[in-house]
Amino acid sequence: MSTGELIKTYFGVKFFNLKEECYVISNYYKKISFCLIDLLFHFIYLFINPYRVSKKFLKEKNEPNLHLYGETPLSTFETIIKEAKILPTNSFLELGVGRGRCSFWLSQFVGCSIQSVEWVPTFHHIASLISKIFRLKNISHCCQDMYAMNFKNTDFIFLYGTCLEDREILCLIEKFKKMDRGVKVISISFPLNDYDQEFKTIEKFPVLFPWGETECFINVY
Ligand SMILES: C[S@@+](CC[C@H](N)C(=O)[O-])C[C@H]1O[C@@H](n2cnc3c(N)ncnc32)[C@H](O)[C@@H]1O
């Protein structure tokens, strides 16, 4: 990438994030409980850079690619939740929640039961602390390597794993196949039937990320 393109991308991402935060404040801060959760969340992360936390964790694990962290913008997450028609009575498993902002949004705006899995302890401790402070009963936090887990049955699984390697996706697919048929797996950028013909894409739609537009897939086995 040339220096010009780098500068353009840098300012493009900054502009996207600024627009997104304005959208979040004007649309989601009307709900006081979410506003307070998100303000505390941002206050804590004023002192902690999530990209650095993730990079340090991956370095200690001797992972070859250290730049794997990214977040789903809340406005994009809202589009996904609406397209997937997630209801308060549903259960939702997020694999690799990162800082967990989407889970907090889901707990306040849909109120379904959420299991969040993340292996970076700093993210897990902060998300658990916020849940405890606000007495959020519908989120459970689990600090574990998702490849070493057996997933409990759930209605929806959310996987934003654009940087996952093929062998990692195949490992998750084997775990999904052990769950009840009919579990809807929401994946970003790739459909699961690219990896296993037994999965069907029941819906796909465009979604926006700071780095550009991609597609979201709803897959069933
Ligand atoms: C691209 S981020 C997505 C964060 C969040 N789901 C979102 O959409 O905003 C992927 C997250 O998955 C976590 N992750 C990656 N591999 C994992 C594993 N084996 N077990 C648990 N978490 C993992 C990373 O630490 C990172 O926080």
Side-chain angles (χ1 to χ4, degrees), residues 68 159-165 169 188-190 209 211 214-215:
L68 298 177
L159 176 69
Y160 169 23
T162 40
C163 296
L164 295 181
E165 289 180 18
I169 296 169
I188 303 296
S189 295
F190 58 86
F209 280 79
W211 41 265
T214 185
E215 278 184 311

Side-chain angles (χ1 to χ4, degrees), residues 74-164:
L74 292 185
S75 60
T76 298
F77 192 66
E78 181 183 12
T79 304
I80 296 170
I81 297 304
K82 283 192 172 149
E83 291 280 345
K85 300 181 186 66
I86 298 177
L87 303 170
T89 47
N90 288 138
S91 49
F92 183 92
L93 167 65
E94 186 172 354
L95 294 176
V97 289
R99 297 191 295 171
R101 197 179 182 205
C102 289
S103 288
F104 289 129
W105 182 91
L106 191 60
S107 82
Q108 298 308 299
F109 286 92
V110 177
C112 58
S113 145
I114 305 154
Q115 298 172 57
S116 70
V117 177
E118 174 56 54
W119 66 352
V120 177
T122 308
F123 295 154
H124 167 74
H125 294 320
I126 294 172
S128 302
L129 176 73
I130 294 176
S131 280
K132 215 177 209 173
I133 292 173
F134 289 95
R135 299 187 182 179
L136 304 180
K137 299 269 185 286
N138 57 350
I139 309 187
S140 66
H141 302 273
C142 167
C143 190
Q144 231 181 309
D145 178 350
M146 59 188 173
Y147 304 115
M149 289 177 72
N150 289 318
F151 305 138
K152 284 193 230 145
N153 272 316
T154 183
D155 299 316
F156 291 91
I157 297 177
F158 179 55
L159 176 69
Y160 169 23
T162 40
C163 296
L164 295 181

Side-chain angles (χ1 to χ4, degrees), residues 173-209:
I173 280 180
E174 284 315 306
K175 290 177 185 291
F176 298 155
K177 286 170 86 171
K178 289 192 183 125
M179 301 173 84
D180 284 350
R181 277 182 180 259
V183 175
K184 294 185 176 120
V185 183
I186 304 168
S187 58
I188 303 296
S189 295
F190 58 86
L192 295 187
N193 66 14
D194 274 1
Y195 293 85
D196 188 320
Q197 294 296 310
E198 288 187 87
F199 280 87
K200 261 195 339 226
T201 300
I202 55 166
E203 225 179 299
K204 71 173 180 177
F205 46 92
V207 280
L208 273 180
F209 280 79

